[in-house]
Amino acid sequence: MIKSIWLFLLLSTLLLIACNSKNEVLSELPLVESKGLKYISPFPFGASLGINLLKTKVVYRNVVTKEFNSITAENAMKFGALHPSENTYFWTEADYLVSFAKNLGIRVHGHTLIWHNSLPLWITNFQGDAIAWENLFKAHIQTVVTHFKGSVVSWDVVNEAFNDDGTLRNTIWQQHLGNDYVARAFQYAHEADPDALLFYNEYGHEYSSAKRTAVNNMVSDFKTRGIPIHGLGLQMHTNHIQSDANLITAINTAALTGLKIHISELDISLNKDNNQSLTLTDALAVLQAAKYKVIVKAFAALPATQRYGITTWNVGDADSWIRGTYNRPDWPLPFDDNYNPKPAYQGILDGLK
Ligand code: G3I
């Protein structure tokens, strides 16, 4: 009897030590304190936002208010959200974000006028001729840009027009409008709001030299033809395995255009291989922090006139598109599920030093 009590005491003691040692490992990293990125960064720092989160989650609003001076609608300004049927525009959600920003005196970046995703059925089923397609294309761009004129200071005019091999993506827009639809999108947007800064937004700069070259060649062509373009959005949906060199090359190659550079959708996945049993460790958190530091440091080294800003793609890990899209555990953002700053946040601070 006494033997079994001793054994129980021994086992529970061992278990307690094991748990404590694990807690000690997890709490090893220092807590991050900051007055807010927008006060520390010399360039705008922001996030894309979900309108429902903004409306319903106080802690979300508080973090956004404290940290950011530039916001992007994650979904509320996309074609399908704003223009659900041919003769109907829906402004309510996007206007909510614009008035939130106005109350805080912070910037709104518009995302995105023309993309091959998030299209309403009336577009994907549209049966008009080339002139009808051109008219609906121009009408959407100019109606949306006009509605937000003076509130949305910059736009992702076209999103993701290239394939990773540098060829033009065979999208519904390219099929019905021809290869030069990208240039005309910029012209139509500029006509509607000559003061708006017009960006071309893309992903993959950090892993595809063909795409980097295609984007920069397009910029050169636009400059030669007098097509109004002011900036490049580098989405930078990347991961902790991506090399520092590739991340830095992506930013510096885009900057060769002389345009404003926006790291427009930054997140750093820790589970690119979809490991369903992966757990977040201090080691992974520290590797992610190092990558945030590399990206922020490289961006901060650009000429001030070219630093349009850094925008993460939403705020806390639980809000990230990655978890739902790939159905996997992941922790890609600077804030955790409870909006506490992670080591990644410290990595951003370190990159700003
Ligand atoms: O709002 C509807 C809801 O009413 C419905 O019940 C639900 C179920 O179908 O869908 C909801 O809409 C979803 C929307 O996100 C809002 O949550 C869409 O299905 C879903 O496709 C959409 O995903 C977004 C995706 O773009 C496609 O638009 C992601 O949140 C968003 O993070 C992602 O962002 C893109 C950028 O715009 C462009 N760069 C890549 C990036 C990641 O894919």
Side-chain angles (χ1 to χ4, degrees), residues 20-39:
N20 275 339
S21 64
K22 187 169 179 294
N23 287 337
E24 271 157 25
V25 167
L26 284 178
S27 62
E28 207 165 55
L29 299 174
L31 283 176
V32 183
E33 288 296 327
S34 153
K35 61 182 180 181
L37 291 171
K38 67 183 179 184
Y39 300 110

Side-chain angles (χ1 to χ4, degrees), residues 33-184:
E33 288 296 327
S34 153
K35 61 182 180 181
L37 291 171
K38 67 183 179 184
Y39 300 110
I40 299 163
S41 173
F43 46 80
F45 222 102
S48 73
L49 303 181
I51 307 304
N52 194 43
L53 284 166
L54 202 55
K55 282 180 175 174
T56 61
K57 223 166 189 176
V58 174
V59 61
Y60 186 84
R61 286 174 77 93
N62 291 344
V63 171
V64 172
T65 301
K66 174 185 175 185
E67 298 288 345
F68 305 130
N69 52 5
S70 178
I71 55 177
T72 301
E74 183 178 21
N75 292 300
M77 292 190 184
K78 289 173 180 173
F79 200 119
L82 290 179
H83 198 175
S85 58
E86 187 164 1
N87 300 309
T88 312
Y89 285 89
F90 176 71
W91 305 116
T92 309
E93 299 281 279
D95 284 348
Y96 181 89
L97 181 119
V98 165
S99 68
F100 174 80
K102 227 167 228 157
N103 291 337
L104 288 178
I106 64 176
R107 181 177 82 182
V108 178
H109 175 72
H111 175 81
T112 176
L113 295 171
I114 295 297
W115 187 27
H116 55 275
N117 275 349
S118 298
L119 293 174
L121 280 177
W122 76 270
I123 287 289
T124 48
N125 297 333
F126 190 75
Q127 295 300 314
D129 62 12
I131 293 171
W133 272 97
E134 189 75 22
N135 289 340
L136 74 83
F137 173 73
K138 180 177 180 180
H140 176 78
I141 292 169
Q142 298 202 325
T143 303
V144 171
V145 173
T146 302
H147 177 84
F148 292 110
K149 189 171 178 175
S151 306
V152 174
V153 295
S154 53
W155 282 100
D156 290 336
V157 176
V158 175
N159 187 47
E160 303 174 15
F162 291 108
N163 295 305
D164 283 353
D165 65 2
T167 58
L168 197 65
R169 201 189 281 263
N170 181 28
T171 69
I172 196 168
W173 303 114
Q174 188 274 337
Q175 289 158 20
H176 292 286
L177 299 168
N179 290 353
D180 212 28
Y181 80 93
V182 179
R184 294 202 301 280

Side-chain angles (χ1 to χ4, degrees), residues 22-29 240 268-271 275 277-290 317 323 329-333 336 342-344:
K22 187 169 179 294
N23 287 337
E24 271 157 25
V25 167
L26 284 178
S27 62
E28 207 165 55
L29 299 174
H240 74 294
I268 301 180
S269 167
L270 291 173
N271 191 9
N275 175 354
S277 57
L278 188 70
T279 56
L280 179 58
T281 61
D282 282 354
L284 279 174
V286 167
L287 287 172
Q288 182 184 55
D317 287 336
R323 285 188 183 176
D330 213 329
W331 309 270
L333 290 166
D336 67 18
K342 295 155 56 182

Side-chain angles (χ1 to χ4, degrees), residues 312-334:
T312 59
W313 206 241
N314 223 310
V315 182
D317 287 336
D319 313 324
S320 172
W321 66 286
I322 289 175
R323 285 188 183 176
T325 305
Y326 298 108
N327 188 28
R328 74 188 188 208
D330 213 329
W331 309 270
L333 290 166

